[in-house]
Structures are given as structure tokens and as C-alpha cells.
Amino acid sequence: MWRDTAITRRLGLDYPIIQGPFGGGLSTVGLVAAVSNSGGLGSYGAHLLAPSEIHALAAEIRQATDRPFALNLWVSDHDEGGLEMSAAAFAKSLARFQPFYEELGIAPPTRPEKFTVRFEDQIGAILDARPPVFSFVFGIPSREILFECRKRGIITLGAATTVDEAVAIEQAGVDLVLATGFEAGGHRPAFLRPAEESLVGTLALVPQVVDRVKIPVVAAGGISDGRGVAAALTLGAQAVQLGTAFLACVESGASATHREKIFSPDAHHTVLSRSFTGRLARFIRNQFIERLEHSTPSPLPFPLQSWFTGFIKLAAAEHGKSEFMSLYAGQGAPLLRHRSAANLMRAITIDLDRLWYARNRPS
């Protein structure tokens, strides 16, 4: 039966369905609980949260569900040159974004003491919170951290964009590997080679990873309905992670404008760009991306680019100005039909039951 896999048994799930973690306010406790209470694994992207916020978040999720859930961090929290900025460099960058601030009526931000929360500070809070699953992207935690996870009964899940990355994740002692194809919305979490050199499609990546590693594989990228889940399981995956499909649900932290864009014809046109954060990610194309990609200089390193554009994204979302929003979406968005997590889970499981019965019924 399709529901019984190595991952559902390991994690105690009813269905091999994982909700992709979203950062930047797109994750919510409500979405995590809705997915977990429906028999899947809800996930929360915590990479922008301070340690105290991670503690509070884990407690809040446990109040909302008694089922397994995952907390997600970015192992690599900055690119080269991304932690500091001189006053002169700050002023120069501020001038580049000033036209956008003016268009949105934003006061120019002042130079902060720091531009991001460090992974090395966050991981202690994760270990203390003991989520059932700790998932991570952009690298692999140290062996010491993975050892502490095992000691605390925390199952680990690492993201790979290539076979080599999947092998490295297994060799490090991670429990599960997420094979994420380039069709996925959001960031491309490559860590062994540049993201632009790590663009392997889900259909090609998943079976190659399955053939090379012994740990269970989770498939992600462009999967939006029961057919996609069935295909991934047929390729050897033991579970599937859906991102855009859950981001489009009313329980997510995406604005109403963002969710409507995912269901609009514009979702047929996504693009990989570094414009919003300095790291490569897939979005619905809009004016902001067009203007940044046709200007110089290149985007700042992460998280500096993300810090400057954060004010633009927030104001645009508040005013419903989609041309300036970071409209994360995967290539499977045009297949989406459901706007609540419970309905999405129900539709996928019904489709899979039907497909499984059709394939296995007596002749």
C-alpha cells in the first residue's frame, strides 16, 4: 500500500506527505498543525528566528498538534562578504534601492548592527526544543550537531540538489535526504557547487539518488497533486515534499495577493533569480525582478541583498502591489486546485488510493 513506506514508519505519519518549510513569515503554526493533524508532516522555516523565538515556536506548535512536525534552518547563513558592510558601501547600496523605497513610500532604513541571525546561535535552540524532525538546507551540520540530534531522538532531513550532495548527506550520518529538483519554488539549496550548476530536474534526480544512497529519499520539485506523488513513489522515493501547493493554502503566511498570483495565469511564467535575496530562487516573474536583472551591479551577497529588499517586500505585501513582491512559486503551480491544507491532503490521498487500486486490482 502506498501509505506504508520507510518514512511513514520512521516518522509515525499516516501519509508520506511533507509540507515544505517556508521562511520570511510564510510559515505559520496553523499550516504546520493542519498538515500534521491531517496525517502528513508539517514544517516551519525558522532560519530568520532568534533562539528565543525558536523555543516559543516549538511550544506553540505542540499546543496546536500532538503529531510529528519539523523545524527547518539554513546551515549556511551567509555568502562571502555577506556579514558586514562599511558605511560607504551601505550608503551606495541604499541609493540603489532608494527608487523602490520611494515608489512604495518607505523611509530609508538605517544601518543595523547585524544583518542576520547566525545558525551557530540557532542550533542550540533546536536541540533544546527537540522537534521530532530537524530539516536543513544549504549544507550539512557538523557531526557533533548530528550526534546531538541522534542523542535527543531528533530525526534529521537534509536537502540535496545533486547526487553528489545526497551522497555527502548520507556519509555525514543524516537520517533522510530530500532530493529537490529545479522545478521547485523558493531557493535552490545547492552547497557543493554553485546553484546555477546544480539544476537537475526531479524526474532525473530522484531515481539517481535512490540508486546511490541507502537512506530513505524524499522527492520534491514541481509536485502538486496525487499524480506527482504517485510518480515520485514509483521512482523510489519514500515520501514527497510539496511546497507551492501548501504555500497556496489559506493557512500559510503568504498574502492574499501572493496566493491569488499562484492561481493566476502568471504562475505559468516562473524564473530563477538572485534579485530578492542574493541566492538563486524561483519566483513568478514580475517588475522588480525585471528591473534588477537589467541593472548593474549584480545582487549583493546573501543576506545583504535580502536585508535591503525585505523592506520592499513587506511594504508591497501590505499594499497588495504584486510587482514588488517576492512571489515564490514552483513550476507545478498551474496544476493547483485546492486552497486549504485539509482539502489538499484529502484530494491527494483520494487520488493515490484510486491510482493504487487501478494499478493493483485483480485482472
Side-chain angles (χ1 to χ4, degrees):
M1 184 63 173
W2 67 268
R3 306 179 190 206
D4 182 25
T5 73
I7 288 180
T8 58
R9 294 191 295 272
R10 181 77 182 272
L11 302 186
L13 307 178
D14 295 333
Y15 309 113
I17 299 171
I18 299 173
Q19 170 236 319
F22 317 124
L26 297 177
S27 286
T28 67
V29 171
L31 179 59
V32 173
V35 176
S36 291
N37 289 336
S38 295
L41 182 75
S43 307
Y44 197 107
H47 75 276
L48 295 181
L49 301 184
S52 61
E53 294 174 310
I54 291 173
H55 282 291
L57 170 65
E60 189 177 354
I61 292 174
R62 286 189 167 100
Q63 287 291 318
T65 182
D66 60 358
R67 303 300 300 271
F69 64 91
L71 296 183
N72 179 274
L73 292 181
W74 290 19
V75 178
S76 168
D77 55 37
H78 68 283
D79 294 333
E80 184 177 356
L83 286 182
E84 297 179 354
M85 180 174 260
S86 68
F90 182 86
K92 184 176 181 180
S93 296
L94 193 64
R96 183 186 187 193
F97 292 103
Q98 185 62 31
F100 295 102
Y101 296 153
E102 291 177 355
E103 286 182 58
L104 292 167
I106 305 169
T110 57
R111 186 171 164 222
E113 291 186 9
K114 59 181 181 179
F115 290 91
T116 189
V117 185
R118 300 303 308 277
F119 171 80
E120 61 195 29
D121 298 325
Q122 296 170 315
I123 190 59
I126 292 288
L127 294 173
D128 289 343
R130 297 192 181 192
V133 179
F134 167 44
S135 66
F136 49 86
V137 295
F138 288 114
I140 308 172
S142 68
R143 289 187 179 274
E144 291 76 16
I145 291 172
L146 294 174
F147 173 78
E148 290 298 327
C149 286
R150 286 192 294 274
K151 197 163 78 171
R152 289 165 170 79
I154 302 171
I155 296 170
T156 51
L157 169 61
T161 64
T162 65
V163 173
D164 287 344
E165 289 179 351
V167 171
I169 284 170
E170 179 180 51
Q171 291 176 343
V174 178
D175 296 311
L176 314 170
V177 61
L178 174 75
T180 172
F182 75 85
E183 300 94 331
H187 286 89
R188 304 305 308 137
F191 61 91
L192 289 183
R193 296 181 65 83
E196 287 85 352
E197 299 176 19
S198 307
L199 300 177
V200 186
T202 306
L203 193 65
L205 180 62
V206 171
Q208 291 183 63
V209 171
V210 169
D211 287 350
R212 286 290 302 277
V213 303
K214 293 182 174 62
I215 58 175
V217 176
V218 181
I223 302 170
S224 302
D225 57 18
R227 293 172 299 175
V229 176
L233 296 177
T234 300
L235 292 174
Q238 297 294 300
V240 170
Q241 179 172 288
L242 286 77
T244 307
F246 284 113
L247 184 64
C249 293
V250 67
E251 295 93 342
S252 85
S255 67
T257 301
H258 188 169
R259 295 197 306 272
E260 286 306 313
K261 277 291 181 181
I262 291 174
F263 285 103
S264 79
D266 291 338
H268 289 260
H269 309 288
T270 63
V271 61
L272 288 167
S273 175
R274 291 180 178 267
S275 299
F276 276 105
T277 70
R279 285 184 172 175
L280 195 67
R282 186 175 294 283
F283 308 91
I284 296 173
R285 184 181 288 277
N286 63 5
Q287 182 186 142
F288 182 86
I289 293 173
E290 295 281 357
R291 286 167 63 175
L292 262 288
E293 291 194 339
H294 289 89
S295 68
T296 55
S298 300
L300 297 166
F302 178 85
L304 298 180
Q305 183 81 3
S306 187
W307 187 87
F308 281 101
T309 65
F311 302 95
I312 297 169
K313 294 186 290 186
L314 181 61
E318 289 177 348
H319 296 96
K321 295 187 175 182
S322 62
E323 288 301 323
F324 299 94
M325 294 169 59
S326 53
L327 301 170
Y328 294 108
Q331 290 183 329
L335 297 170
L336 297 179
R337 300 291 181 270
H338 302 284
R339 296 174 184 256
S340 80
N343 286 345
L344 175 61
M345 289 287 293
R346 188 178 304 112
I348 290 174
T349 57
I350 289 173
D351 283 349
L352 284 165
D353 281 340
R354 177 179 54 80
L355 290 167
W356 186 89
Y357 174 75
R359 182 182 299 172
N360 295 278
R361 64 185 174 187
S363 56

